[in-house]
Amino acid sequence: MSAAPSRGVVVTGVPRPPLEQLDALAGYGVATVHEALGRTGYLGPDLRPIQQDVRVAGSVVTALCWPGDNLMIHAAAEQCAEGDVLVVATTSPCSDGLFGELLATSLASRGVRGLIIDTGVRDTAELRAMGFPVWSRHVSAQGTVKATAGAVNVPVTVGRQTLFPGAAILADDDGVMTFPAAELPHALEASAAREAKEQATREALAAGQLGLDRYDLRPLLAGLGVEYMTYEEYHE
């Protein structure tokens, strides 16, 4: 949810990061990138995918709408381009279905990779069938009007983060995260390093090594006063 804009505005010509960097980002999961960047940028657990086994990375386009009104999503569609992900917020809490199959058809024709919406979505079966990914706070058949000016490509707050037009965004089954486009090269490098480290750990655990030893946790347990005792000792 975001505060209401002081006036209706549509910001045009937002710079985007290179598509090849966004495509590379999509090779890593949200959890991996989130950890690699120091646990920053996560939008919180309330935004859930309507589909499974889908991951998208893109450049942020924002639409700030009034509750129950999707006028500015239509305005935002004109500003969308190949590789974008549309992020929709409202000026106060709303659960209405501001987005459905017809808007998705329009966005898909412009190369939009998905939608993050801090309110409701409907036509979920149709959206899955057409392969248009959505992460939403609510699912609702409640319809909307087109009557009130909002804003396009202004900063909006969703969950725990402020999202800026042109920023990088990544979404999968684990949730959604964002970070500045200028950090993309570092994010890719840090994520590759983390993934390599996790693969080495995965192989060690698969070979039988315990996390207690892999992460050197035994001294921590001892320092916390955790005692080992037999079943008989515990029940004496």
Side-chain angles (χ1 to χ4, degrees), residues 61-94:
V61 171
T62 68
L64 180 59
C65 300
W66 286 76
D69 191 317
N70 70 356
L71 173 63
M72 300 314 293
I73 300 180
H74 290 271
E78 184 181 26
Q79 304 307 315
C80 288
E82 178 72 30
D84 287 341
V85 171
L86 180 60
V87 177
V88 178
T90 51
T91 57
S92 60
C94 174

Side-chain angles (χ1 to χ4, degrees), residues 87-130:
V87 177
V88 178
T90 51
T91 57
S92 60
C94 174
S95 62
D96 296 347
L98 267 65
F99 187 93
E101 174 196 5
L102 296 180
L103 274 168
T105 300
S106 177
L107 294 184
S109 75
R110 304 184 71 83
V112 174
R113 295 179 172 180
L115 172 80
I116 314 299
I117 185 164
D118 197 31
T119 174
V121 64
R122 61 184 187 174
D123 301 336
T124 55
E126 290 82 0
L127 291 169
R128 286 190 291 270
M130 66 184 290

Side-chain angles (χ1 to χ4, degrees), residues 1 10 26 50 71 76-77 90 96 127 129 157 186 195 207 209 233-234:
M1 184 184 68
V10 175
I50 66 166
L71 173 63
T90 51
D96 296 347
L127 291 169
T157 300
H186 168 65
E195 193 167 82
Q209 185 179 25
E233 290 171 335
Y234 180 74

